[in-house]
Amino acid sequence: TLTVYNSDGRAWHRVTSMPARLGYGGLIPASRRIQDTGTTPAGQFAITETFGRQANPGTAMTYVKLTNDDWWVEDRTSAYYNQLRSGSAGGFRLSATGFNSSEHLAAMGAQYDYVAVINFNRPNPVVGRGAGIFLHANSSGLTLGCVSVDHDHMRSILRWLNPAAHPRIIIGP
């Protein structure tokens, strides 16, 4: 379950709750997470940017409308590890398969129609700890380590996010 809260400076107030999915490998403390294990990192993380295959649904957060040139760098040898980067800019192995592959974002399907970046292992990543942990729209099953909710809820969350409020996500049992 994903529950959304607002703070008035004195107390937290529940806004809404919705069903959510996690990684097929379950939860693991963020400090022990290893890339490609299907685990979702447990901890508290900032949300500072958003992107998607669809047009901005009205978020005040920085939003990138994906093009076919956009990748999330998961190449462990790249200086751009755990960042959004265009393939034409280079600096990483341009492949969606293999050990040092990256995510070709536009090719990932409807699950990436609307995405909020969970700042796990950012901004100073530990290579191999994991890259590309997002809050995104549901696909057909469990995630590879992300948190997902249905499309309508994801659009609502993006519209609700306010960078001035310094949004965070707390992932835990």
Side-chain angles (χ1 to χ4, degrees), residues 70-86:
D70 291 320
W71 293 73
W72 195 269
V73 180
E74 296 181 359
D75 177 351
R76 293 163 177 89
T77 65
S78 175
Y80 304 101
Y81 181 74
N82 207 12
Q83 295 178 41
L84 176 66
R85 185 158 174 89
S86 62

Side-chain angles (χ1 to χ4, degrees), residues 1 9 16 20 26 31 35-36 39 46 51 55 57 67 70 73 80 99-100 117 119 125 143 149 157 170:
T1 301
T16 189
S31 63
Q35 190 165 326
D36 297 329
T39 54
F51 64 82
T67 70
D70 291 320
V73 180
Y80 304 101
F99 181 72
N100 281 327
V117 176
N119 278 6
T143 74
V149 297
I157 288 169
I170 301 169

Side-chain angles (χ1 to χ4, degrees), residues 45-164:
F45 312 100
I47 295 175
T48 57
E49 61 188 287
T50 60
F51 64 82
R53 295 178 344 134
Q54 302 300 318
N56 184 340
T59 187
M61 301 290 292
T62 299
Y63 187 88
V64 172
K65 167 100 171 44
L66 295 175
T67 70
N68 197 45
D69 195 32
D70 291 320
W71 293 73
W72 195 269
V73 180
E74 296 181 359
D75 177 351
R76 293 163 177 89
T77 65
S78 175
Y80 304 101
Y81 181 74
N82 207 12
Q83 295 178 41
L84 176 66
R85 185 158 174 89
S86 62
S88 59
F92 64 100
R93 183 171 174 260
L94 199 59
S95 174
T97 61
F99 181 72
N100 281 327
S101 62
S102 294
E103 281 192 277
H104 187 201
L105 298 172
M108 296 301 292
Q111 68 186 5
Y112 283 179
D113 281 353
Y114 305 105
V115 179
V117 176
I118 296 172
N119 278 6
F120 164 72
N121 203 23
R122 300 181 80 213
N124 302 305
V126 174
V127 174
R129 176 73 33 92
I133 300 296
F134 309 129
L135 171 59
H136 63 72
N138 283 339
S139 185
S140 60
L142 298 174
T143 74
L144 298 177
C146 297
V147 177
S148 72
V149 297
D150 74 40
H151 275 69
D152 289 340
H153 283 120
M154 194 62 224
R155 274 191 301 274
S156 295
I157 288 169
L158 289 181
R159 285 192 297 268
W160 174 78
L161 287 171
N162 177 356

